[in-house]
Amino acid sequence: MESFVHLRKGTTPDRLHADLGGLKDDELGRGGFTGRTAQLYRRNDPVGYRAVGPLAPVDVLADALKPTDSTDPAGSPLLLFSNADCRISLSRRDREMPFFARYIDGDLLSFVHKGSGLLETEFGPLRYREGDWVYLPKACTFRQVPDNETTLLMIEATEEFRVPPAGPLGRHFPFDPNRMIVPEPAAMDDDGRDEYEVRLVHEGGPTSLVYPHHPLDVVGWQGDNFPFTFNIADYNVVLSDTVHLPATVHLFMQATGVYVMNFLPKRAESAPGTETIPWYHRNADYDEIAFFHGGDMYGVPMPPGLISHAPQGVHHGAPEKMRERARRKREEISHIGWTTIAVDTRRRLIPSPEVLANNLGAH
């Protein structure tokens, strides 16, 4: 619920997220930056805490995790986080699948962190490369054939992924569907095998379907339910010089309870006094996952493959030292070079045992 009543009490700056005068800007918000908010202006750093318990934030490096598909062609991606609406996994495959896969519990949206290759799908072949988003509709049959080791961040949603409404941006919405790559049908002939396994990936599974013929035998298709790739280089970044924009401006796709965003390199806010680093916040209604693809934040390199989990209701944000550095170097650092994939979920995410075992904050 939004309210028309907005109050101001005590010592506050004249402008939102600007001219803080040494105070710490802390947002307590509902609805993932789109609902009611309170800006709390603190004396001390709100992320200067030590967390103990199941809602402690988690940081883990993708390279420290070992999906079984990284060593065994018949292996599987590694589950990272899950709730009733989605499962977030990591794949690091370097050899072709000896089977065909079909995800049964929901749509599959994967980000290519490293590598390139081919997805053979029943809709036709689909090439992928670093920086691609790869969308596979629920129950679509496919096989991955990597050119080289391929690292994927995989988001499986229980409900359909869809492009969010463009709103006032209209046709200038950041996601231009004309830049999607959609496969052309190319039926595949039998290759001499007696049988072909289609592995159904699902909760409590897998289940195998064994066909006497090649399962990718589609000669044509029509409709509005199909796989595609979309590269982040084609995503249009929305900018403001006078205020740092909230995460929801960078929304890419969404499913029920799951929101996927692209934070890409951009010009830093230039208006005098404006804070260029996102304010401290407690996202009261959403867990947040940040996957750092690469780049830097105000000249500070971001570790590629770092995965951060901020549970809802827990303060997070760049440390005060980085904010002070950004203010000091405002004139010389005019560009933010980060490339980060973000996933917000309405339900609380449960980290897997492998994630907790490799939590950087626990060592």
Side-chain angles (χ1 to χ4, degrees):
M1 179 186 73
E2 294 187 22
S3 170
F4 62 89
V5 178
H6 289 256
L7 302 179
R8 184 190 293 257
K9 301 287 185 180
T11 301
T12 64
D14 291 334
R15 293 195 298 137
L16 194 64
H17 307 312
D19 303 319
L20 298 181
L23 295 174
K24 313 303 183 266
D25 187 356
D26 168 22
E27 179 168 302
L28 173 60
R30 304 301 305 273
F33 304 102
T34 62
R36 293 179 297 138
T37 61
Q39 301 301 139
L40 306 175
Y41 298 99
R42 300 182 175 276
R43 293 174 175 174
N44 300 302
D45 186 345
V47 297
Y49 56 76
R50 181 172 60 90
V52 179
L55 291 188
V58 173
D59 292 304
V60 63
L61 288 169
D63 286 348
L65 302 172
K66 307 298 181 186
T68 58
D69 66 4
S70 66
T71 55
D72 180 1
S76 303
L78 174 67
L79 179 67
L80 304 179
F81 303 92
S82 60
N83 63 25
D85 295 326
C86 72
R87 294 164 59 89
I88 301 174
S89 302
L90 184 76
S91 171
R92 192 180 298 117
R93 177 175 291 278
D94 66 355
R95 284 171 286 176
E96 65 183 55
M97 287 178 171
F99 56 88
F100 299 84
R102 187 185 296 170
Y103 278 69
I104 300 301
D105 290 339
D107 286 357
L108 184 61
L109 183 65
S110 300
F111 177 72
V112 183
H113 175 53
K114 293 180 182 176
S116 62
L118 173 70
L119 287 180
E120 300 172 347
T121 83
E122 54 193 323
F123 290 81
L126 195 58
R127 296 285 310 176
Y128 66 82
R129 60 189 172 101
E130 184 176 315
D132 270 349
W133 280 108
V134 181
Y135 170 74
L136 293 168
K138 179 179 179 178
C140 172
T141 304
F142 71 96
R143 190 173 81 106
Q144 184 182 358
V145 183
D147 295 334
N148 42 46
E149 184 179 87
T150 296
T151 301
L152 301 177
L153 181 72
M154 307 172 73
I155 309 158
E156 184 184 3
T158 303
E159 300 293 335
E160 291 183 76
F161 272 112
R162 55 196 181 277
V163 178
L169 290 175
R171 295 287 178 160
H172 301 287
F173 182 66
F175 178 16
D176 180 356
N178 290 317
R179 303 300 296 170
M180 294 190 312
I181 296 176
V182 179
E184 295 288 336
M188 300 189 72
D189 297 326
D190 290 358
D191 55 15
R193 280 180 280 177
D194 293 331
E195 55 186 31
Y196 301 80
E197 178 193 1
V198 176
R199 184 176 298 179
L200 309 186
V201 181
H202 60 92
E203 190 72 30
T207 298
S208 291
L209 306 180
V210 181
Y211 289 85
H213 57 79
H214 202 295
L216 306 184
D217 60 351
V218 176
V219 297
W221 60 268
Q222 64 181 35
D224 58 0
N225 185 36
F226 49 81
F228 64 83
T229 63
F230 180 90
N231 197 274
I232 56 173
D234 293 320
Y235 189 79
N236 299 319
V237 180
V238 180
L239 301 174
S240 170
D241 277 335
T242 57
V243 67
H244 188 92
L245 296 172
T248 43
V249 169
H250 309 293
L251 195 55
F252 172 57
M253 294 191 78
Q254 66 184 49
T256 301
V258 185
Y259 298 83
V260 180
M261 290 153 282
N262 296 321
F263 300 147
L264 302 178
K266 69 182 188 72
R267 185 181 67 244
E269 293 77 7
S270 61
T274 298
E275 290 289 297
T276 55
I277 290 182
W279 51 91
Y280 294 109
H281 59 284
R282 283 164 288 169
N283 197 336
D285 293 320
Y286 288 84
D287 275 30
E288 297 182 24
I289 296 290
F291 180 88
F292 295 97
H293 179 52
D296 66 87
M297 190 171 180
Y298 295 94
V300 178
M302 305 297 287
L306 176 65
I307 305 166
S308 291
H309 173 217
Q312 52 195 269
V314 179
H315 275 112
H316 59 283
E320 196 62 26
K321 286 184 178 180
M322 181 174 285
R323 297 170 188 274
E324 292 170 355
R325 183 179 187 276
R327 294 176 190 125
R328 287 196 315 270
K329 295 183 173 290
R330 181 181 194 93
E331 298 303 320
E332 53 188 281
I333 301 179
S334 60
H335 191 259
I336 301 174
W338 62 24
T339 299
T340 303
I341 301 305
V343 184
D344 286 8
T345 66
R346 181 64 182 84
R347 299 177 191 263
R348 188 175 299 161
L349 287 166
I350 306 300
S352 69
E354 291 82 0
V355 165
L356 293 176
N358 289 277
N359 181 12
L360 298 173
H363 301 292

